[in-house]
Amino acid sequence: MANLTGKKVAILTESGFEEVELTSPKKALEAAGVRVDIISSQKGKVKAWDHDHWSIELEVDKTFDEVQESDYDALLLPGGVMNPDKLRTEPRAVELANQFLDSGKPVAAICHGPQLLIETGKLGGRKMTSYPSLKTDLTNAGVSWEDKEVVVDQGLVTSRSPKDLEAFNRKLIEELGEGIHNRN
């Protein structure tokens, strides 16, 4: 396992994230020495969704207005159906996603997480995957969509669903270790 002590990752989320799509990458990152902050529009706690019911609550470390892209080395976007749909309507969340994509820092999105990235208008020409129901949305955004457990394109890491978490976590950590990716 890579030692990434000193690195910081921002997890943007709202209530309604798929529990394991946040907790599994967070645990893997922390095991590699990474500091992980949960960032939301609201203070207090965000509530997880677990397949078909509400689940655990996690403490929000900071709000969107308290952070900037330069505070972090990577961005993580968990899925769930509700969470990404809420995030894409938050102007500050879209702005942060835009800044991460511009920076070349790793951006990782699983399942429905890429919905926020669609709002940036910066996915044209990228290779990605997602939950299958987003294929048309991503294709319409200019993405070359692939049905694989994990797709990496210049630091942009995407996976389809919780069943892909092992590969997703591994590639997220690998890309974080590589650092900034310059797109030509």
Side-chain angles (χ1 to χ4, degrees):
M1 166 99 27
N3 181 346
L4 300 173
T5 302
K7 298 278 188 182
K8 291 170 61 179
V9 172
I11 299 178
L12 297 190
T13 193
E14 297 286 10
S15 287
F17 62 91
E18 185 65 40
E19 180 181 330
V20 71
E21 293 174 2
L22 188 154
T23 58
S24 174
K26 182 177 188 289
K27 182 178 178 183
L29 288 164
E30 289 172 341
V34 177
R35 178 176 155 203
V36 180
D37 284 345
I38 295 175
I39 301 162
S40 183
S41 64
Q42 60 194 31
K43 292 181 183 276
K45 296 183 179 193
V46 286
K47 194 167 194 163
W49 186 258
D50 186 11
H51 303 291
D52 60 0
H53 62 277
W54 289 106
S55 181
I56 64 172
E57 291 185 333
L58 297 176
E59 197 68 40
V60 171
D61 296 299
K62 298 181 182 205
T63 64
F64 298 141
D65 292 331
E66 295 173 322
V67 300
Q68 47 194 332
E69 164 271 321
S70 60
D71 297 335
Y72 296 94
D73 300 293
L75 174 65
L76 172 62
L77 302 171
V81 177
M82 292 174 269
N83 164 50
D85 198 52
K86 290 178 189 174
L87 280 177
R88 71 189 312 181
T89 65
E90 288 286 340
R92 184 70 180 120
V94 175
E95 180 183 345
L96 286 166
N98 248 316
Q99 291 168 355
F100 272 98
L101 288 171
D102 286 346
S103 75
K105 294 175 183 177
V107 173
I110 188 166
C111 199
H112 288 78
Q115 281 185 317
L116 174 62
L117 300 177
I118 291 169
E119 295 301 314
T120 68
K122 294 187 175 168
L123 298 182
R126 302 301 291 261
K127 291 179 187 169
M128 296 175 70
T129 193
S130 66
Y131 195 75
S133 66
L134 294 186
K135 178 181 179 180
T136 300
D137 297 325
L138 286 166
T139 301
N140 288 341
V143 168
S144 174
W145 190 88
E146 300 178 11
D147 187 12
K148 295 181 179 174
E149 69 177 357
V150 66
V151 175
V152 181
D153 181 352
Q154 295 293 312
L156 177 59
V157 180
T158 52
S159 284
R160 301 170 297 193
S161 72
K163 70 179 187 236
D164 301 326
L165 276 164
E166 186 177 325
F168 180 75
N169 293 346
R170 185 175 57 251
K171 284 297 185 182
L172 168 56
I173 288 169
E174 181 181 313
E175 295 301 305
L176 183 56
E178 289 178 8
I180 293 177
H181 293 70
N182 294 315
R183 271 192 94 207
N184 295 332

Coordinates of all heavy atoms in Angstrom, one line a residue, residues 72 78 87:
Y72 N -6.6 20.9 -1.3 CA -6.7 19.4 -1.4 C -5.8 18.9 -2.6 O -5.6 19.7 -3.5 CB -8.1 19.0 -1.6 CG -8.9 19.3 -0.3 CD1 -9.7 20.5 -0.3 CD2 -8.9 18.4 0.8 CE1 -10.4 20.8 0.9 CE2 -9.6 18.8 1.9 CZ -10.3 19.9 2.0 OH -11.0 20.3 3.1
P78 N -18.7 10.4 -4.3 CA -19.5 9.1 -4.1 C -20.8 9.3 -4.9 O -21.3 10.4 -5.1 CB -19.7 9.0 -2.6 CG -19.6 10.4 -2.1 CD -18.7 11.1 -3.0
L87 N -26.0 17.7 -5.5 CA -24.8 18.4 -5.8 C -24.8 19.2 -7.0 O -24.3 20.3 -7.1 CB -23.6 17.4 -5.8 CG -23.1 16.9 -4.5 CD1 -22.0 15.8 -4.8 CD2 -22.5 18.0 -3.6

